[in-house]
């Protein structure tokens, strides 16, 4: 009987010990690989772009959104492959067109910019505050567009957009940020990134005007398009 009790206690100890070790690992925030855990993660952010150099003298801040997708290259999530897609706009100007009873049409001109990047991210994937750094390469897109809105037509009819300028440039970025867990699989994500971009052709609101015949006249300019990008949003996944 005594031997049976001793054997039962030994079995209970062997079964309970791995669970206790796992609980201790989680509580202390140790980097324990979990093979069942998905290696995919993604983030949704609001972005403010702050132009630098000649670009800053020509255009205002850019406001937009950003989506990033990450895939961990190791079980801990220390190193990840990262892709980013961002879109934004700046420099809006409106003008009206004459009609029989006053203003009949409205033209809205704005600059639209986007980035598509791929790169690497190095992160500390545990703890209450999780810093990370990343770098990437890709392409940037700049366009000057005018949207004409016929106010006499029914909603959605006779509205069209004309693209005056359309340019692509190479982009290199480096930056970092912090993630703070706020729920199961969800983190607050705040970051800053420096973008080195090539020379692009674009226009400011003052460069777009109505010509003597009533058409839109654009006087483009060229410069490097370097900028700082500041973002805040939510990250989901590991």
């Amino acid at each position: 009987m005594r031997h049976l009790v001793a054997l039962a206690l030994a079995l209970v100890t062997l079964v309970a010990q791995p669970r206790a070790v796992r609980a201790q690992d989680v509580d202390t925030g140790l980097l324990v690989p979990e093979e069942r855990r998905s290696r995919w993660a993604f983030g949704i952010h609001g972005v403010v772009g702050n132009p630098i150099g000649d670009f800053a003298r020509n255009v205002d801040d850019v406001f937009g959104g950003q989506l990033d997708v990450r895939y961990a290259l190791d079980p801990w999530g220390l190193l990840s492959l990262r892709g980013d897609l961002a879109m934004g706009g700046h420099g809006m100007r409106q003008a009206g067109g004459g009609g029989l009873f006053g203003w009949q049409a409205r033209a809205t001109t704005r600059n639209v910019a986007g980035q598509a990047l791929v790169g690497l991210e190095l992160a500390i994937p545990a703890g209450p505050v999780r810093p990370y750094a990343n770098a990437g390469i890709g392409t940037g897109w700049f366009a000057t567009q005018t949207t004409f809105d016929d106010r006499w037509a029914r909603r959605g009819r006779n509205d069209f957009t004309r693209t005056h300028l359309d340019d692509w440039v190479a982009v290199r970025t480096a930056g970092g940020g912090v993630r703070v867990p706020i729920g199961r699989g969800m983190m607050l994500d705040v970051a800053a990134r420096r973008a080195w971009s090539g020379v692009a052709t674009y226009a400011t609101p003052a460069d777009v005007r109505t010509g003597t015949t009533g058409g839109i006249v654009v006087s483009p300019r060229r410069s490097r398009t370097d900028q700082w990008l500041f973002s805040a949003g939510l990250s989901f996944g590991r």
Side-chain angles (χ1 to χ4, degrees), residues 43-47 64-70 82-88 113-119 137 139-141 168 193 229 231:
I44 302 175
H45 314 269
V47 179
Q66 172 185 310
L67 172 67
D68 70 78
V69 178
R70 307 182 302 277
R82 172 171 175 149
D84 291 87
L85 182 63
M87 288 291 293
Q115 284 185 355
L117 304 167
V118 62
I137 58 173
T139 185
W141 171 68
W168 295 83
R193 183 170 56 191
L229 299 170
S231 64

Side-chain angles (χ1 to χ4, degrees), residues 70-188:
R70 307 182 302 277
Y71 179 78
L73 299 177
D74 60 83
W76 299 273
L78 293 170
L79 183 65
S80 299
L81 184 66
R82 172 171 175 149
D84 291 87
L85 182 63
M87 288 291 293
H90 57 86
M92 182 178 295
R93 183 180 184 182
Q94 294 183 346
L100 181 61
F101 300 102
W103 298 106
Q104 177 181 356
R106 180 175 60 189
T108 302
T109 301
R110 68 196 305 261
N111 283 323
V112 181
Q115 284 185 355
L117 304 167
V118 62
L120 294 174
E121 176 178 295
L122 183 63
I124 298 179
V129 178
R130 306 178 182 184
Y132 63 89
N134 53 49
I137 58 173
T139 185
W141 171 68
F142 295 87
T144 301
Q145 299 177 337
T146 298
T147 300
F148 298 91
D149 175 16
D150 187 348
R151 301 174 63 182
W152 283 103
R154 293 180 180 179
R155 180 175 299 179
R157 183 180 297 179
N158 293 341
D159 295 354
F160 66 95
T161 298
R162 177 182 175 185
T163 300
H164 308 288
L165 301 171
D166 190 354
D167 206 356
W168 295 83
V169 297
V171 180
R172 295 176 292 112
T173 66
V178 293
R179 299 188 181 102
V180 179
I182 58 176
R184 185 175 180 83
M186 182 169 62
M187 292 176 283
L188 178 65

